Amino acid sequence: METFFQTGNLRSKVVYFRKDAIFWTEYYESGQVEFTEKYNSKFLLLYRRSYSEDGKPQTIFELINKRKNIYSHKEYFENGAVREEGGMIFNDDAVDFKREGTWKIYDEVGKLVRLEEYIHGEFTAEALSNQSVATTNTKKNNLVEAKKSTPIN
């Protein structure tokens, strides 16, 4: 199915399988892709990608491990540099995706400034540039210095 802007330009294109959308693309009025999503025949999300009106990526979200339902997630600054990247898993209880594993956080020029660790969406540790790792004490919910330091350069 296709929908159009009043100007006649394509607004969206959706492909259905058994009455459910399995491929969906939305466009800016200029014709540039705004976002696209693709699902398999079992309605598992395969990817979701969004773009700014000038064509630079905003968010890229892609399935990387179908068996464990793990996704890679990247967000970008307006200049096109990566803002953050890491893994996500689907949480059935929350009916949403949660951060998992190591996340890399960058500044606007692409320099790695911080690593963050997550387990099932819960923040567990952080490493700042040229500093030691800090872990979360979940009972008291405060940061404590880890025994082994892991600076990032």
Side-chain angles (χ1 to χ4, degrees):
M1 181 173 91
E2 294 180 343
T3 62
F4 297 87
F5 290 101
Q6 287 183 352
T7 60
N9 292 347
L10 185 62
R11 172 178 276 182
S12 67
K13 183 175 184 176
V14 183
V15 176
Y16 291 91
F17 178 75
R18 297 184 186 159
K19 299 183 181 182
D20 290 304
I22 60 168
F23 185 77
W24 183 354
T25 301
E26 289 277 334
Y27 298 88
Y28 291 103
E29 194 160 2
S30 66
Q32 173 61 45
V33 172
E34 183 175 358
F35 78 86
T36 185
E37 293 181 346
K38 184 175 182 179
Y39 298 82
N40 69 10
S41 61
K42 296 180 181 179
F43 310 108
L44 176 67
L45 178 63
L46 300 176
Y47 63 79
R48 179 181 298 138
R49 301 173 184 143
S50 64
Y51 304 90
S52 61
E53 198 159 2
D54 65 2
K56 292 179 184 161
Q58 291 177 326
T59 305
I60 306 293
F61 187 74
E62 299 177 315
L63 180 64
I64 58 173
N65 186 324
K66 186 176 178 181
R67 189 174 57 80
K68 293 184 179 181
N69 211 16
I70 299 174
Y71 291 79
S72 70
H73 179 89
K74 281 187 182 180
E75 286 190 28
Y76 297 83
F77 288 104
E78 286 184 25
N79 67 8
V82 175
R83 175 188 302 263
E84 63 181 10
E85 62 182 332
M88 296 189 86
I89 57 172
F90 186 75
N91 181 290
D92 290 325
D93 295 333
V95 193
D96 200 1
F97 293 92
K98 295 202 173 207
R99 290 180 178 212
E100 181 71 17
T102 302
W103 275 69
K104 297 177 181 178
I105 313 300
Y106 302 90
D107 64 16
E108 287 193 51
V109 295
K111 180 182 176 202
L112 180 64
V113 294
R114 185 171 70 246
L115 296 176
E116 297 177 352
E117 290 291 329
Y118 292 84
I119 298 175
H120 302 292
E122 296 293 322
F123 174 78
T124 60
E126 178 177 49
L128 304 174
S129 182
N130 298 319
Q131 294 182 2
S132 62
V133 172
T135 61
T136 301
N137 180 335
T138 55
K139 290 181 182 176
K140 295 181 181 176
N141 200 25
N142 60 352
L143 293 177
V144 295
E145 189 174 338
K147 291 179 182 176
K148 184 177 180 182
S149 65
T150 312
I152 57 177
N153 297 317

